[in-house]
Amino acid sequence: MLRSLYSYAEPRAEASLLAHVGHHDAGVRRAVAAGLGTRLESTYRSDEAREALLTLMGDPDTDVRIAACRSVGEAGNGDPALTDAMAALLDHPERRVQLVAVYGLALHNDERCVEGADRLGQPRLGFRNEEMVCLDVAWRYQWGRDDN
């Protein structure tokens, strides 16, 4: 049920998700993180949702961190605390987390995505398609910036 709430960017759906931020099951927290990524056409995000996303980007479970970072990146509202939290994930020990942080920062037109992408380098063999999704957005940002 939590997975379906992401399509309802309104206070009641958000409240249902927020009730499960501290759930003991990482799969539930992952669904909450994904659900709090309000759709791009919506600008609604409460202070509680913002705080929850900050918390979830620091979750001990890697997949929860990734889901939260992806939600922040794709929501596109440019909140400095959220973009700073994404930038902090550029130093995470797991490459998957770093990739999603680069992706999210690029979607926010945040210069820090360029350095993050440079540090990651080219996509790894066997992971090219998945990694290109994240790196390509950063490279496009850089090319657009350099052309201006």
Side-chain angles (χ1 to χ4, degrees), residues 48-79:
E48 293 83 6
R50 178 183 175 272
E51 292 304 314
L53 285 166
L54 287 168
T55 297
L56 293 167
M57 279 195 284
D59 195 272
D61 183 87
T62 297
D63 292 326
V64 173
R65 283 180 187 233
I66 289 170
C69 189
R70 185 174 300 278
S71 289
V72 168
E74 292 176 351
N77 69 356
D79 182 309

Side-chain angles (χ1 to χ4, degrees), residues 81-99:
L82 292 171
T83 54
D84 286 348
M86 278 192 295
L89 293 175
L90 293 172
D91 294 323
H92 192 276
E94 290 199 43
R95 183 175 173 92
R96 292 184 312 134
V97 175
Q98 295 170 20
L99 283 160

Side-chain angles (χ1 to χ4, degrees), residues 86 101-110 113 134 136-139 141:
M86 278 192 295
V102 164
Y103 171 76
L105 289 168
L107 290 176
H108 283 258
N109 296 316
D110 189 301
C113 72
C134 297
D136 187 56
V137 176
W139 293 335
Y141 165 79

